[in-house]
Amino acid sequence: MAEQPENLVLEHVRGLRADISEIKGEMRTLKAEMATKSDLRSLRADVASDLATMQKDTREQIVGLRRAVIEYHSAVVGHGLIISELEERVRRLEQHLNLPSLEQS
């Protein structure tokens, strides 16, 4: 009877070793698949750069559009349009969008 518990314990230890070995293999696979911290930092820097570029381009497009509208209204002032109303709307838009005023550009 002394052999039976020994064999049972030995069998359980061997089973645990196999399970631990399997878990270690899975951990190695997961580590290989995970992004490293440097990969994440690089990705974050790329996204920040793209956002800054996009923001700059958008601001430039808005400034260009603003100038085009003001030039258009300057051309049609003689047709009875009141430019002061447009200028007030442009100022409110600038404040709402946190844009620099046209006089500052």
Side-chain angles (χ1 to χ4, degrees):
M1 279 203 161
E3 286 184 29
Q4 240 179 357
E6 246 179 66
N7 289 337
L8 186 60
V9 170
L10 188 59
E11 184 180 324
H12 282 298
V13 169
R14 286 181 182 151
L16 286 172
R17 281 184 181 169
D19 290 345
I20 289 171
S21 174
E22 185 179 322
I23 290 172
K24 283 182 179 180
E26 290 175 4
M27 292 292 288
R28 280 188 217 104
T29 303
L30 285 174
K31 283 181 180 179
E33 291 175 358
M34 285 179 21
T36 62
K37 285 184 180 180
S38 63
D39 292 340
L40 293 176
R41 285 187 189 121
S42 174
L43 179 61
R44 186 177 4 168
D46 291 346
V47 169
S49 172
D50 291 347
L51 283 174
T53 301
M54 186 175 71
Q55 188 177 23
K56 179 183 172 197
D57 292 345
T58 303
R59 285 185 185 271
E60 289 173 0
Q61 290 173 351
I62 291 173
V63 167
L65 177 63
R66 185 186 318 145
R67 285 192 177 130
V69 168
I70 289 174
E71 288 172 8
Y72 169 77
H73 275 274
S74 296
V76 294
V77 165
H79 298 283
L81 294 175
I82 302 174
I83 192 90
S84 61
E85 291 176 7
L86 173 68
E87 289 173 347
E88 181 57 33
R89 285 184 181 200
V90 169
R91 274 191 224 101
R92 280 187 277 156
L93 279 171
E94 288 172 347
Q95 291 171 351
H96 179 72
L97 297 174
N98 294 326
L99 297 172
S101 67
L102 186 59
E103 292 84 32
Q104 293 176 359
S105 316

